[in-house]
Amino acid sequence: MEYRKLLGTDLTVSAVGFGVWTVGTTWWGVRDEGMGKALLRRAFDLGITFFDNADTYASGRAEELQREALGDVRDQLVIGTKFGYDIYTHPDRPGQQERPHDWSPAHLRRALEGSLKRLGTDRIDYYQLHNPRMDAILRDDLWAELDRAKAEGLILAYGTALGPAQHERQIEEGIASVRDRRAPTQIIYNLLEQALGEQILPVAEEVGVGVMARVPHASGLLEGHMSLDTEFEPGDHRNWRMTTNARRKAWMEDGLQKVEQLQGAFVEGRGRTIGQLAIQFALRSPAMASVLPNIYSEDGLREYAATFDAAPLTDEDFEGIQTLYRANFGMTHDLRGQVVAQ
């Protein structure tokens, strides 16, 4: 395992982290808490020390699950969690809809107290605004309250996690976070979806503030196991992508053709898997502290944790990938079904 400084903080995190939403919610299929706890523990055994959670994951149950799996090694971990959604007056929302946000200092304190209790700890190492819009990033009383909580030792560092899905507005939000607030940010960034990283990472490098990447495997496309016949379990959030023929073509057919090109040029006979290539790519920037692959099996966990034993990504590889990406791999649609100008 490799460990990196989260620039702009005093934290050092494992370059491969564990996004607890995969095992702590039903958004990736049926939740098996026994398997989830076993994977969390196995991840720690393999050198993963950064675990990223949120109070909204299963309305707090994911944080409890993490405590049950890793509470006895808490001081060897970097615990990240998130706040901002009102899980108290809006405990659940149908169809994975967003709950209302509450960015008041009072809500921050209530959310922080709840997370500390559920995680069984006296401090949160990395506390993140969960899917904020610009109003939250510009809200001075919220950031002042974060500073007070930090001065009290209840949190060690803070930042933002942008979402929920990739959106152009997040470029402005991410740049404001790292440049104006000097707060690290978490973005969707992978070989097939680079828009946010292209704009945010250069600014982060310039000002010396860290970035984290989630969904480095493009929701499964870059894991190397998906085919046109792949079906997702009930509740899996990826089912929405299959609601129309246009989305199916854009996300599955075109996406898998892009993956096939990457496999042929940068994986086959090269001493790495497509999943490892995806992590290497996401970690390319010196501002990138950690990537959060979606972990739902021990095989995948072992593969991703072994990324730093694989053949490294060379400058030539990187430029070759970018040449393909800039040409949209010769495809006429992007992953959201939008026609690409030719």
Side-chain angles (χ1 to χ4, degrees):
M1 183 55 60
E2 182 178 294
Y3 301 88
R4 294 187 172 194
K5 180 81 175 294
L6 177 58
L7 299 179
T9 78
D10 294 327
L11 302 175
T12 297
V13 296
S14 54
V16 174
F18 196 126
V20 183
W21 73 319
T22 313
V23 298
T25 73
T26 59
W27 299 343
W28 296 88
V30 177
R31 183 174 71 227
D32 181 332
E33 290 198 351
M35 181 190 72
K37 286 190 280 190
L39 285 173
L40 288 166
R41 191 68 190 200
R42 186 63 182 137
F44 172 74
D45 293 339
L46 291 172
I48 292 176
T49 58
F50 177 59
F51 293 84
D52 186 49
N53 217 315
D55 61 2
T56 192
Y57 297 165
S59 297
R61 177 57 190 153
E63 292 178 321
E64 295 173 341
L65 192 74
Q66 180 175 323
R67 181 197 69 225
E68 292 165 8
L70 297 166
D72 63 320
V73 293
R74 189 272 170 266
D75 287 341
Q76 299 178 60
L77 308 179
V78 178
I79 294 178
T81 197
K82 310 181 192 76
F83 75 99
Y85 286 115
D86 183 359
I87 66 172
Y88 302 99
T89 55
H90 301 274
D92 202 4
R93 300 280 279 185
Q96 299 171 3
Q97 298 177 40
E98 281 192 276
R99 295 176 172 91
H101 279 124
D102 185 343
W103 298 115
S104 67
H107 177 78
L108 185 160
R109 287 289 178 164
R110 184 180 187 185
L112 178 56
E113 180 180 348
S115 287
L116 289 168
K117 181 178 180 180
R118 289 186 294 268
L119 287 161
T121 183
D122 61 355
R123 82 276 183 194
I124 304 298
D125 300 303
Y126 183 50
Y127 206 36
Q128 300 158 85
L129 283 67
H130 198 176
N131 298 341
R133 278 46 165 187
M134 280 300 293
D135 63 320
I137 296 172
L138 295 174
R139 186 166 173 163
D140 289 338
D141 63 342
L142 171 65
W143 294 85
E145 196 66 24
L146 286 166
D147 282 330
R148 280 190 283 271
K150 183 177 178 183
E152 295 166 22
L154 298 176
I155 60 176
L156 302 187
Y158 51 74
T160 60
L162 305 183
Q166 184 174 228
H167 193 283
E168 186 176 349
R169 63 171 168 74
Q170 292 165 22
I171 294 172
E172 182 183 12
E173 293 158 2
I175 290 174
S177 179
V178 300
R179 185 186 61 201
D180 301 336
R181 294 296 183 182
R182 291 297 195 270
T185 194
Q186 182 186 131
I187 62 174
I188 294 173
Y189 180 64
N190 58 64
L191 282 160
L192 305 181
E193 299 169 294
Q194 299 184 32
L196 298 182
E198 286 176 328
Q199 300 296 318
I200 296 170
L201 283 168
V203 178
E205 292 173 12
E206 179 185 352
V207 300
V209 174
V211 177
M212 293 185 177
R214 70 177 182 280
V215 201
H217 294 108
S219 295
L221 284 169
L222 292 164
E223 292 172 358
H225 311 301
M226 193 177 289
S227 73
L228 291 175
D229 298 324
T230 297
E231 295 185 3
F232 304 116
E233 294 181 10
D236 192 307
H237 78 288
R238 291 171 291 185
N239 281 315
W240 72 268
R241 297 182 184 269
M242 315 301 284
T243 56
T244 67
N245 289 333
R247 285 192 183 279
R248 182 179 180 89
K249 177 177 175 56
W251 195 70
M252 293 288 284
E253 294 184 8
D254 287 4
L256 288 172
Q257 288 182 52
K258 294 174 182 179
V259 172
E260 184 178 6
Q261 292 181 55
L262 291 167
Q263 288 268 24
F266 305 105
V267 174
E268 294 173 5
R270 301 293 295 275
R272 63 170 79 96
T273 67
I274 186 72
Q276 291 169 338
L277 174 68
I279 291 174
Q280 291 173 338
F281 176 85
L283 287 168
R284 175 79 176 182
S285 168
M288 189 66 72
S290 186
V291 299
L292 300 161
N294 299 314
I295 297 170
Y296 28 70
S297 72
E298 182 158 353
D299 287 345
L301 172 59
R302 286 179 175 275
E303 176 186 345
Y304 305 150
T307 293
F308 306 101
D309 297 324
L313 184 71
T314 66
D315 292 342
E316 184 179 6
D317 291 337
F318 179 78
E319 290 304 321
I321 290 168
Q322 294 305 80
T323 297
L324 283 174
Y325 178 80
R326 286 190 289 267
N328 195 41
F329 298 80
M331 302 291 104
T332 59
H333 293 75
D334 65 19
L335 291 180
R336 292 175 291 177
Q338 304 298 314
V339 175
V340 176
Q342 298 296 304

